[in-house]
Amino acid sequence: MRAIWSGTLGFGLVNIPVKLVSAVQSEEIDFDMLSREDMAPVRYARIDTKTGKEVEWKDIVKGYQYAKGKYVVVEDEDFAKASPKKSRSIDILQFAKSEEIDPIYFEKPYYIVPAKGGEKSYRLLLKALEETESVGIAEFMLRNREHVCAVKPYNGLLMLNQMRYQEEIKEVPEVAKSTKVSAQELELAIKLINNLTETFNPAAFKDTYIAELKKVIKAKAAGKHIRIAEPEEKPTATVKDLMEILKRSLEKGKKRA
């Protein structure tokens, strides 16, 4: 795996040479934009809205609209001024229990691997976090931005989970709480959950969209007709028939078992 960042991981006076490797990947299909009329690739032009003429990339600048129709140009050096002091270090500022951190704060995971000479201190931090069931809360620079992150054990190595800041979390929407749930309804719902509870296996869930899309593209290229299946309409539970739906769900769960 190619490292996207290299530097040190520090706690106290201990500095461990490490590298960051992305822990996730996504599969996408690249599409070209074509003109429907002659199937020729479409070229995107950068048009000046005043003159109607195309603008060269070298003549394009970034601007921030501070009032309607009024802009201030922001140059590369302005972005540099706004960035915190450059650092090649993941600095653990404190330790906490993982259950104290709401999962909504976790954004993107990276594997932390030790660089040459850092294996022993890396193993020491990993074992200490495992023994104390703790995570390190740290700050680090990535792509000119400072991020808060959690450093924690994961399958025999350290993982860095980039986190969101408090101001990035939206307020929880209000939901009506006046609706009453009967004890019998709750009992049936709990039974249904218990009947459907099993050990989570992530390998059992597959993203089939890309594979199916490739099949559609291949069939269409061969001149075959593709029938689009109608989405399944599922009835929603109303207050009146909720008990009956719960009972039928339990029966279905027993048959499945």
Side-chain angles (χ1 to χ4, degrees), residues 98-132:
S98 58
E99 62 266 22
E100 296 175 358
I101 306 173
D102 192 313
I104 197 172
Y105 286 98
F106 294 130
E107 184 173 16
K108 191 173 183 181
Y110 297 93
Y111 294 131
I112 306 176
V113 295
K116 189 175 181 180
E119 293 84 358
K120 185 173 183 178
S121 47
Y122 177 96
R123 185 62 53 186
L124 172 64
L125 176 58
L126 173 61
K127 289 295 184 185
L129 289 174
E130 289 175 339
E131 288 291 325
T132 58

Short mmCIF file of all heavy atoms in Angstrom, two decimals, residues 98-132:
data_model
loop_
_atom_site.label_atom_id
_atom_site.label_comp_id
_atom_site.label_asym_id
_atom_site.label_seq_id
_atom_site.Cartn_x
_atom_site.Cartn_y
_atom_site.Cartn_z
N SER A 98 -12.81 4.89 24.58
CA SER A 98 -13.45 4.92 23.27
C SER A 98 -14.96 5.11 23.36
O SER A 98 -15.57 5.75 22.50
CB SER A 98 -13.13 3.65 22.48
OG SER A 98 -13.54 2.51 23.20
N GLU A 99 -15.59 4.55 24.43
CA GLU A 99 -17.04 4.68 24.56
C GLU A 99 -17.48 6.11 24.84
O GLU A 99 -18.68 6.43 24.73
CB GLU A 99 -17.58 3.73 25.64
CG GLU A 99 -17.06 3.99 27.04
CD GLU A 99 -15.84 3.14 27.38
OE1 GLU A 99 -15.16 2.68 26.44
OE2 GLU A 99 -15.57 2.95 28.58
N GLU A 100 -16.54 6.98 25.21
CA GLU A 100 -16.88 8.38 25.47
C GLU A 100 -17.06 9.18 24.17
O GLU A 100 -17.59 10.28 24.20
CB GLU A 100 -15.78 9.04 26.31
CG GLU A 100 -15.62 8.46 27.69
CD GLU A 100 -14.43 9.07 28.44
OE1 GLU A 100 -13.72 9.91 27.86
OE2 GLU A 100 -14.23 8.69 29.60
N ILE A 101 -16.62 8.62 23.04
CA ILE A 101 -16.65 9.35 21.78
C ILE A 101 -17.84 8.88 20.95
O ILE A 101 -17.93 7.70 20.60
CB ILE A 101 -15.35 9.14 20.98
CG1 ILE A 101 -14.14 9.50 21.85
CG2 ILE A 101 -15.36 9.98 19.71
CD1 ILE A 101 -12.81 9.16 21.20
N ASP A 102 -18.74 9.78 20.65
CA ASP A 102 -19.91 9.46 19.83
C ASP A 102 -19.43 9.11 18.42
O ASP A 102 -18.64 9.84 17.83
CB ASP A 102 -20.83 10.68 19.78
CG ASP A 102 -22.20 10.34 19.20
OD1 ASP A 102 -22.25 9.67 18.15
OD2 ASP A 102 -23.21 10.76 19.79
N PRO A 103 -19.90 7.99 17.84
CA PRO A 103 -19.47 7.58 16.49
C PRO A 103 -19.70 8.64 15.42
O PRO A 103 -19.05 8.61 14.37
CB PRO A 103 -20.32 6.33 16.22
CG PRO A 103 -20.66 5.80 17.57
CD PRO A 103 -20.79 7.00 18.45
N ILE A 104 -20.61 9.59 15.65
CA ILE A 104 -20.88 10.62 14.64
C ILE A 104 -19.64 11.48 14.37
O ILE A 104 -19.52 12.08 13.31
CB ILE A 104 -22.07 11.52 15.06
CG1 ILE A 104 -22.61 12.29 13.85
CG2 ILE A 104 -21.67 12.47 16.18
CD1 ILE A 104 -23.89 13.04 14.12
N TYR A 105 -18.70 11.49 15.31
CA TYR A 105 -17.49 12.31 15.13
C TYR A 105 -16.47 11.64 14.21
O TYR A 105 -15.59 12.30 13.68
CB TYR A 105 -16.85 12.62 16.49
CG TYR A 105 -17.62 13.66 17.28
CD1 TYR A 105 -18.51 13.27 18.27
CD2 TYR A 105 -17.49 15.01 17.00
CE1 TYR A 105 -19.24 14.21 18.98
CE2 TYR A 105 -18.21 15.96 17.70
CZ TYR A 105 -19.09 15.55 18.69
OH TYR A 105 -19.82 16.49 19.38
N PHE A 106 -16.55 10.32 14.04
CA PHE A 106 -15.58 9.61 13.22
C PHE A 106 -15.87 9.84 11.73
O PHE A 106 -17.00 9.70 11.28
CB PHE A 106 -15.57 8.12 13.53
CG PHE A 106 -15.08 7.81 14.93
CD1 PHE A 106 -15.81 6.97 15.76
CD2 PHE A 106 -13.91 8.36 15.40
CE1 PHE A 106 -15.36 6.69 17.04
CE2 PHE A 106 -13.45 8.09 16.68
CZ PHE A 106 -14.18 7.25 17.51
N GLU A 107 -14.84 10.19 10.98
CA GLU A 107 -15.03 10.54 9.58
C GLU A 107 -14.32 9.61 8.61
O GLU A 107 -14.93 9.07 7.69
CB GLU A 107 -14.55 11.98 9.33
CG GLU A 107 -14.80 12.48 7.92
CD GLU A 107 -14.49 13.95 7.75
OE1 GLU A 107 -13.81 14.52 8.63
OE2 GLU A 107 -14.91 14.52 6.75
N LYS A 108 -13.00 9.41 8.77
CA LYS A 108 -12.26 8.61 7.80
C LYS A 108 -11.11 7.87 8.48
O LYS A 108 -10.32 8.49 9.19
CB LYS A 108 -11.71 9.51 6.69
CG LYS A 108 -11.15 8.74 5.50
CD LYS A 108 -10.79 9.69 4.36
CE LYS A 108 -10.30 8.91 3.15
NZ LYS A 108 -9.93 9.79 2.04
N PRO A 109 -11.00 6.55 8.26
CA PRO A 109 -9.96 5.79 8.94
C PRO A 109 -8.69 5.64 8.09
O PRO A 109 -8.75 5.55 6.86
CB PRO A 109 -10.62 4.42 9.14
CG PRO A 109 -11.53 4.29 7.95
CD PRO A 109 -11.99 5.68 7.59
N TYR A 110 -7.55 5.61 8.76
CA TYR A 110 -6.25 5.33 8.14
C TYR A 110 -5.51 4.33 9.01
O TYR A 110 -5.62 4.36 10.24
CB TYR A 110 -5.40 6.61 8.04
CG TYR A 110 -5.98 7.70 7.19
CD1 TYR A 110 -6.76 8.69 7.74
CD2 TYR A 110 -5.73 7.76 5.82
CE1 TYR A 110 -7.30 9.72 6.97
CE2 TYR A 110 -6.25 8.78 5.03
CZ TYR A 110 -7.04 9.76 5.62
OH TYR A 110 -7.57 10.75 4.84
N TYR A 111 -4.76 3.44 8.37
CA TYR A 111 -3.86 2.56 9.11
C TYR A 111 -2.57 3.32 9.41
O TYR A 111 -2.04 4.01 8.55
CB TYR A 111 -3.53 1.30 8.31
CG TYR A 111 -4.71 0.40 8.05
CD1 TYR A 111 -4.97 -0.09 6.77
CD2 TYR A 111 -5.56 0.01 9.09
CE1 TYR A 111 -6.05 -0.92 6.53
CE2 TYR A 111 -6.65 -0.83 8.85
CZ TYR A 111 -6.89 -1.28 7.57
OH TYR A 111 -7.96 -2.10 7.33
N ILE A 112 -2.07 3.17 10.63
CA ILE A 112 -0.77 3.71 11.00
C ILE A 112 0.21 2.55 11.01
O ILE A 112 0.00 1.57 11.73
CB ILE A 112 -0.78 4.38 12.39
CG1 ILE A 112 -1.88 5.44 12.48
CG2 ILE A 112 0.58 4.99 12.71
CD1 ILE A 112 -2.01 6.07 13.86
N VAL A 113 1.26 2.63 10.21
CA VAL A 113 2.26 1.57 10.18
C VAL A 113 3.61 2.16 10.62
O VAL A 113 3.92 3.31 10.30
CB VAL A 113 2.38 0.93 8.78
CG1 VAL A 113 1.09 0.22 8.42
CG2 VAL A 113 2.70 1.97 7.72
N PRO A 114 4.40 1.39 11.35
CA PRO A 114 5.69 1.93 11.82
C PRO A 114 6.70 2.03 10.69
O PRO A 114 6.76 1.18 9.82
CB PRO A 114 6.13 0.90 12.87
CG PRO A 114 5.47 -0.38 12.43
CD PRO A 114 4.16 0.02 11.83
N ALA A 115 7.45 3.11 10.69
CA ALA A 115 8.56 3.25 9.75
C ALA A 115 9.80 2.61 10.38
O ALA A 115 9.79 2.21 11.55
CB ALA A 115 8.80 4.72 9.44
N LYS A 116 10.85 2.51 9.60
CA LYS A 116 12.07 1.86 10.08
C LYS A 116 12.58 2.53 11.35
O LYS A 116 12.71 3.74 11.42
CB LYS A 116 13.15 1.92 8.99
CG LYS A 116 14.38 1.10 9.30
CD LYS A 116 15.36 1.10 8.15
CE LYS A 116 16.58 0.25 8.45
NZ LYS A 116 17.55 0.24 7.33
N GLY A 117 12.86 1.72 12.35
CA GLY A 117 13.38 2.23 13.62
C GLY A 117 12.31 2.51 14.65
O GLY A 117 12.62 2.79 15.81
N GLY A 118 11.03 2.45 14.24
CA GLY A 118 9.96 2.78 15.18
C GLY A 118 9.15 1.59 15.64
O GLY A 118 8.14 1.76 16.33
N GLU A 119 9.58 0.37 15.30
CA GLU A 119 8.78 -0.81 15.58
C GLU A 119 8.53 -1.04 17.08
O GLU A 119 7.40 -1.33 17.49
CB GLU A 119 9.45 -2.07 14.99
CG GLU A 119 9.51 -2.10 13.47
CD GLU A 119 10.70 -1.35 12.89
OE1 GLU A 119 11.48 -0.76 13.69
OE2 GLU A 119 10.84 -1.34 11.66
N LYS A 120 9.57 -0.89 17.91
CA LYS A 120 9.41 -1.20 19.34
C LYS A 120 8.51 -0.19 20.04
O LYS A 120 7.60 -0.57 20.80
CB LYS A 120 10.77 -1.26 20.02
CG LYS A 120 10.68 -1.70 21.48
CD LYS A 120 12.03 -1.93 22.12
CE LYS A 120 11.88 -2.42 23.54
NZ LYS A 120 13.18 -2.70 24.20
N SER A 121 8.74 1.10 19.81
CA SER A 121 7.92 2.12 20.46
C SER A 121 6.48 2.07 19.93
O SER A 121 5.52 2.33 20.67
CB SER A 121 8.52 3.51 20.26
OG SER A 121 8.88 3.74 18.92
N TYR A 122 6.32 1.70 18.66
CA TYR A 122 4.99 1.52 18.08
C TYR A 122 4.25 0.40 18.82
O TYR A 122 3.09 0.55 19.22
CB TYR A 122 5.14 1.18 16.60
CG TYR A 122 3.85 0.89 15.85
CD1 TYR A 122 3.22 1.88 15.12
CD2 TYR A 122 3.29 -0.39 15.85
CE1 TYR A 122 2.04 1.61 14.40
CE2 TYR A 122 2.13 -0.67 15.14
CZ TYR A 122 1.51 0.34 14.42
OH TYR A 122 0.35 0.07 13.73
N ARG A 123 4.94 -0.74 19.00
CA ARG A 123 4.35 -1.88 19.69
C ARG A 123 4.02 -1.54 21.14
O ARG A 123 3.00 -1.98 21.68
CB ARG A 123 5.31 -3.07 19.63
CG ARG A 123 4.77 -4.37 20.19
CD ARG A 123 3.56 -4.89 19.46
NE ARG A 123 3.77 -4.99 18.02
CZ ARG A 123 2.82 -5.32 17.15
NH1 ARG A 123 1.59 -5.56 17.59
NH2 ARG A 123 3.07 -5.40 15.86
N LEU A 124 4.86 -0.73 21.76
CA LEU A 124 4.63 -0.32 23.15
C LEU A 124 3.33 0.47 23.26
O LEU A 124 2.50 0.21 24.14
CB LEU A 124 5.80 0.52 23.65
CG LEU A 124 5.62 1.18 25.02
CD1 LEU A 124 5.50 0.12 26.11
CD2 LEU A 124 6.78 2.13 25.32
N LEU A 125 3.13 1.46 22.38
CA LEU A 125 1.92 2.27 22.42
C LEU A 125 0.69 1.42 22.13
O LEU A 125 -0.35 1.55 22.80
CB LEU A 125 2.01 3.42 21.42
CG LEU A 125 0.77 4.31 21.29
CD1 LEU A 125 0.40 4.94 22.62
CD2 LEU A 125 0.98 5.38 20.23
N LEU A 126 0.79 0.53 21.15
CA LEU A 126 -0.31 -0.35 20.79
C LEU A 126 -0.75 -1.20 21.99
O LEU A 126 -1.93 -1.28 22.33
CB LEU A 126 0.09 -1.25 19.62
CG LEU A 126 -0.89 -2.35 19.21
CD1 LEU A 126 -2.22 -1.77 18.76
CD2 LEU A 126 -0.28 -3.22 18.11
N LYS A 127 0.23 -1.84 22.65
CA LYS A 127 -0.08 -2.70 23.79
C LYS A 127 -0.65 -1.90 24.96
O LYS A 127 -1.58 -2.36 25.65
CB LYS A 127 1.19 -3.46 24.24
CG LYS A 127 1.64 -4.54 23.26
CD LYS A 127 0.60 -5.64 23.18
CE LYS A 127 1.08 -6.78 22.27
NZ LYS A 127 0.02 -7.81 22.10
N ALA A 128 -0.11 -0.71 25.19
CA ALA A 128 -0.58 0.13 26.30
C ALA A 128 -2.03 0.56 26.06
O ALA A 128 -2.85 0.59 26.99
CB ALA A 128 0.32 1.35 26.46
N LEU A 129 -2.37 0.90 24.83
CA LEU A 129 -3.75 1.28 24.51
C LEU A 129 -4.70 0.09 24.66
O LEU A 129 -5.82 0.24 25.15
CB LEU A 129 -3.84 1.85 23.09
CG LEU A 129 -3.20 3.22 22.85
CD1 LEU A 129 -3.25 3.58 21.37
CD2 LEU A 129 -3.90 4.30 23.68
N GLU A 130 -4.24 -1.09 24.26
CA GLU A 130 -5.06 -2.29 24.41
C GLU A 130 -5.30 -2.61 25.88
O GLU A 130 -6.42 -2.93 26.28
CB GLU A 130 -4.39 -3.47 23.71
CG GLU A 130 -4.42 -3.39 22.19
CD GLU A 130 -3.65 -4.52 21.52
OE1 GLU A 130 -2.77 -5.13 22.19
OE2 GLU A 130 -3.92 -4.80 20.34
N GLU A 131 -4.24 -2.52 26.69
CA GLU A 131 -4.35 -2.85 28.11
C GLU A 131 -5.28 -1.88 28.84
O GLU A 131 -6.03 -2.28 29.73
CB GLU A 131 -2.97 -2.84 28.76
CG GLU A 131 -2.07 -4.01 28.38
CD GLU A 131 -2.58 -5.33 28.95
OE1 GLU A 131 -3.12 -5.34 30.08
OE2 GLU A 131 -2.44 -6.36 28.25
N THR A 132 -5.20 -0.60 28.50
CA THR A 132 -6.00 0.42 29.18
C THR A 132 -7.34 0.65 28.51
O THR A 132 -8.17 1.43 29.02
CB THR A 132 -5.24 1.76 29.23
OG1 THR A 132 -4.94 2.18 27.90
CG2 THR A 132 -3.95 1.62 30.02
#
